[in-house]
Amino acid sequence: MKTILVTGGAGFIGSHLCKALLHKNQKVIIIDNFNDFYDPGIKKNNIVEIKKMMGSNGIDSDNLQVVEGDIRDQENLDKLFIEYKINLIVHLAAMAGVRPSIKNPLVYNDVNIRGTLNLLEMCKKYEVDKFVYASSSSVYGNNEKVPFAESDNVDYPISPYAATKKAGELLCHTYHYLYDIDAACLRFFTVYGPGQRPDLAIHKFTKLIINEQELPFYGDGSTERDYTYIDDIIDGVTKTIDWIQAGKGRYDIFNLGESNTVSLKRMVETLEKVIGKKAKLNILPVQPGDVNRTFADISKSKKVLGYNPTMDFEDGIEKFVAWYKEVNNIN
């Protein structure tokens, strides 16, 4: 049985991942600072749901430890690594979002770069030689070649958030080279599904359409995203964990997407169809930092990891809307 540290484990992707790892009989340590980027109560409820899942499935309560802490706090990290023998880190904790990073670039630098560096230093110090890092499709910037492949040049980010994610990939490679730490960097493509953060478009738009309020609609609706369902992302992360544990001397970058683009216009139309209401659009200019399109080439992830996303976009939206109505007591 391995002990896996999941940073940001109380968040959207993190809480889903922790459930999957616990089902696989892994020991999981969550570190999360429960910050107020969005309602901290949502993260706390995610922890409650993880514990309920464990109880209903007979999973040993000792297999989960939850630590409230910040990855920028080296003293607390030292205590954590001294107390627990950690075998592998899945580093999901970050300041998220393109537009907020333009307003607060110094905070994004501090959390996403220095926080990642702190964790890699802990790996060096406490001999943890397996590290999985959550990067982002935003590193591709306005890449004109599609679909985006891991070998494409990503030297031209267009937001501080994207730049910090690229920096994290570079740090992972540096520590792999200098200290023999195996590392995998996962470029996530627009993750959605039950439990999605309330600041993200599908969640926000669902709420606004149901409440018959105006939704911000940036540009002419032609921008495209490679929306990736949460279950497919978690399958990709767990397969990456298996891959990185199966050998030594490994460093690589993998796209995790659906390899299917959906325009903003189609996304809203799908929500309207599933919810059964028309959206009230507030047409606004395209925002600085927003890329025109994301589109994942997943051939490498399929070949190396065995990654195989299966969720159709409309089916995924139906699952999300059903979840949203359930948690908000909407008939």
Side-chain angles (χ1 to χ4, degrees), residues 125-176:
K125 186 174 182 179
Y126 296 101
E127 299 182 338
V128 180
D129 66 350
K130 307 289 183 185
F131 194 88
V132 177
Y133 169 70
S135 186
S136 165
S137 62
S138 66
V139 301
Y140 289 105
N142 275 323
N143 196 17
E144 293 187 5
K145 171 189 160 291
V146 292
F148 302 166
E150 294 89 345
S151 57
D152 292 348
N153 188 317
V154 290
D155 290 339
Y156 302 99
I158 62 171
S159 70
Y161 172 71
T164 64
K165 284 299 179 181
K166 169 67 186 295
E169 294 181 358
L170 296 175
L171 287 170
C172 288
H173 185 269
T174 301
Y175 276 70
H176 165 72

Side-chain angles (χ1 to χ4, degrees), residues 41-311:
I42 294 172
K43 288 187 174 184
K44 290 176 181 176
N45 187 63
N46 287 341
I47 297 297
V48 170
E49 292 300 315
I50 292 171
K51 291 179 177 177
K52 280 183 186 176
M53 178 276 298
M54 292 173 66
S56 63
N57 287 276
I59 299 169
D60 190 337
S61 60
D62 290 340
N63 283 5
L64 175 67
Q65 302 295 327
V66 181
V67 177
E68 185 165 354
D70 195 304
I71 58 173
R72 293 171 291 179
D73 188 335
Q74 289 182 314
E75 185 177 341
N76 272 347
L77 286 178
D78 272 314
K79 290 178 182 176
L80 178 66
F81 279 78
I82 289 168
E83 184 172 356
Y84 301 102
K85 174 56 182 171
I86 295 165
N87 303 111
L88 182 147
I89 297 173
V90 180
H91 177 32
L92 302 173
M95 286 298 294
V98 166
R99 295 171 198 158
S101 77
I102 296 172
K103 295 180 180 178
N104 289 298
L106 296 180
V107 174
Y108 277 71
N109 174 79
D110 197 34
V111 175
N112 296 359
I113 299 179
R114 186 161 70 90
T116 299
L117 187 57
N118 282 347
L119 289 164
L120 288 165
E121 277 290 293
M122 293 296 132
C123 287
K124 179 182 74 172
K125 186 174 182 179
Y126 296 101
E127 299 182 338
V128 180
D129 66 350
K130 307 289 183 185
F131 194 88
V132 177
Y133 169 70
S135 186
S136 165
S137 62
S138 66
V139 301
Y140 289 105
N142 275 323
N143 196 17
E144 293 187 5
K145 171 189 160 291
V146 292
F148 302 166
E150 294 89 345
S151 57
D152 292 348
N153 188 317
V154 290
D155 290 339
Y156 302 99
I158 62 171
S159 70
Y161 172 71
T164 64
K165 284 299 179 181
K166 169 67 186 295
E169 294 181 358
L170 296 175
L171 287 170
C172 288
H173 185 269
T174 301
Y175 276 70
H176 165 72
Y177 178 81
L178 291 174
Y179 306 113
D180 204 25
I181 296 169
D182 294 340
C185 302
L186 302 178
R187 293 174 177 168
F188 295 155
F189 282 70
T190 316
V191 189
Y192 76 103
Q196 186 187 37
R197 295 195 335 249
D199 59 299
L200 295 176
I202 288 173
H203 192 140
K204 183 191 299 184
F205 287 7
T206 297
K207 179 180 179 180
L208 293 172
I209 292 170
I210 287 174
N211 292 332
E212 301 180 1
Q213 296 174 315
E214 279 193 347
L215 61 84
F217 189 88
Y218 296 103
D220 62 2
S222 64
T223 55
E224 296 174 319
R225 295 292 178 267
D226 192 342
Y227 290 103
T228 314
Y229 192 69
I230 183 64
D231 290 359
D232 289 330
I233 284 288
I234 298 307
D235 178 63
V237 177
T238 56
K239 281 182 164 65
T240 303
I241 291 170
D242 292 341
W243 173 82
I244 206 170
Q245 292 187 128
K248 189 61 190 148
R250 295 185 165 189
Y251 172 86
D252 219 330
I253 296 170
F254 299 101
N255 286 337
L256 294 186
E258 295 288 338
S259 200
N260 179 45
T261 61
V262 175
S263 70
L264 175 61
K265 182 174 182 291
R266 183 187 158 205
M267 184 264 276
V268 171
E269 288 172 348
T270 304
L271 284 172
E272 290 175 326
K273 177 182 176 182
V274 171
I275 294 168
K277 286 186 178 182
K278 291 292 290 182
K280 297 179 179 179
L281 304 183
N282 178 21
I283 309 296
L284 297 167
V286 173
Q287 297 294 288
D290 280 356
V291 299
N292 298 326
R293 171 175 50 192
T294 64
F295 186 2
D297 180 341
I298 58 174
S299 57
K300 178 180 174 182
S301 297
K302 284 186 171 184
K303 180 179 179 181
V304 178
L305 303 176
Y307 174 64
N308 186 33
T310 59
M311 183 58 70

